[in-house]
Amino acid sequence: MDRILSADGTPIAYRRQGDGPPLVLVGGALSTSAADAPLAALLAPRFTVLTYDRRGRGASGDAGRWSVAREVEDLTAVVGAAGPGAPVFGMASGGALALEAVAAGLSVELLAVYEPPYTPGASGLLFKARCTARLHRLLEAGDRGGAVELFLSMTGVAEETAARMRRTPMWAELEAMAHTLAYDDALLGDGAVPVERFAAVAARTLVICGGFSSAPARAATRILAEALPRGRHRTLTGQMREVAPQVIAPVLADFFAKDVYACRQAS
């Protein structure tokens, strides 16, 4: 993997593959560039795809005190390595990070996100507050495994499945990244879609959800799409929170390829 220094000097590891116009993928909670590899491989025939280990994960560093601004700087550095203005796709909380970065001034003309896990509405905000409090209690107690289990339960993983995962070699890798769950949690604020802040997102943005995802998750993506000045919404039939790479890859390729051409023609 290559490395680039973020604004505070933290090394951020990234991988580049493919040939064509640049495209940056931003992973969600507990993911690394390795987790994004199947999707990157499907997009590589048409794009030069950059995947990276977010701060505190994999081969990237984790210097200093974490903040949303630091992760925005990390993504800005990766986009710079790809090529200024490179389109971005963010998965789950990676989508929230991408939106925060563009709202903060990252110059991106095209952006796509898949189910950023906002939880608007009274019951959703209460759920988020309870999960945040429990997550912090677990991490402060040093219970990294418990923090991972909490995240898995929030994403719909059954207890027996989580128990089986504990007995696999990957569990140690998940526990090693458990502290970054607090980073993703902070990215989502209180769970509400930050409508006022995202009014500054000028990028043409595709907000995607799965047709078999929960009703609250699907509703949140529609609220998000409506909040974005140039947002549009798409539902992928038969998909859930863990979207199949072979299903979303052609959707992203079509969106980015056509809209890159349209942006170039407009300029």
Side-chain angles (χ1 to χ4, degrees):
M1 297 181 75
D2 294 321
R3 285 174 175 77
I4 191 169
L5 294 182
S6 190
D8 70 345
T10 299
I12 302 299
Y14 69 95
R15 192 182 309 277
R16 188 193 308 262
Q17 62 178 303
D19 185 31
L23 173 60
V24 175
L25 306 187
V26 187
L30 297 183
S31 70
T32 63
S33 61
D36 294 329
L39 177 58
L42 292 170
L43 293 168
R46 297 182 65 179
F47 302 92
T48 299
V49 185
L50 270 72
T51 57
Y52 74 105
D53 292 345
R54 286 174 52 193
R55 181 174 293 240
R57 312 175 194 201
S60 288
D62 197 15
R65 186 177 179 84
W66 182 90
S67 69
V68 173
R70 296 291 81 75
E71 280 227 61
V72 166
E73 290 170 352
D74 300 345
L75 177 53
T76 300
V78 175
V79 170
V88 174
F89 168 66
M91 180 71 192
S93 59
L97 171 57
L99 287 161
E100 291 288 351
V102 177
L106 176 62
S107 180
V108 169
E109 292 182 334
L110 300 171
L111 173 64
V113 298
Y114 187 87
E115 292 194 15
Y118 296 106
T119 54
S123 60
L125 298 185
L126 179 60
F127 172 77
K128 173 65 164 59
R130 288 173 173 169
C131 288
T132 296
R134 186 179 173 195
L135 174 63
H136 283 284
R137 285 196 300 270
L138 290 167
L139 291 176
E140 288 167 5
D143 187 356
R144 301 174 76 87
V148 173
E149 285 188 333
L150 173 62
F151 167 73
L152 293 176
S153 68
M154 290 170 60
T155 58
V157 175
E159 287 186 17
E160 55 270 23
T161 302
R164 287 196 298 270
M165 291 174 66
R166 269 189 174 271
R167 298 191 291 271
T168 66
M170 71 175 292
W171 190 260
E173 298 175 10
L174 295 177
E175 284 196 356
M177 297 185 287
H179 64 288
T180 66
L181 290 170
Y183 304 172
D184 291 274
D185 180 76
L187 272 169
L188 299 169
D190 64 359
V193 175
V195 174
E196 291 186 8
R197 188 157 66 252
F198 286 173
V201 175
R204 191 176 304 172
T205 307
L206 179 63
V207 181
I208 313 168
C209 72
F212 280 179
S213 292
S214 69
R218 288 183 278 115
T221 59
R222 291 196 176 276
I223 293 170
L224 174 60
E226 292 170 2
L228 298 169
R230 302 175 71 194
R232 65 191 196 219
H233 187 273
R234 176 160 180 178
T235 300
L236 300 184
T237 303
Q239 295 302 298
M240 302 176 68
R241 182 186 182 101
E242 295 297 326
V243 63
Q246 66 269 25
V247 173
I248 197 168
V251 174
L252 296 175
D254 185 62
F255 171 67
F256 288 125
K258 285 185 177 179
D259 283 18
V260 163
Y261 178 78
C263 288
R264 287 175 177 171
Q265 290 294 100
S267 61

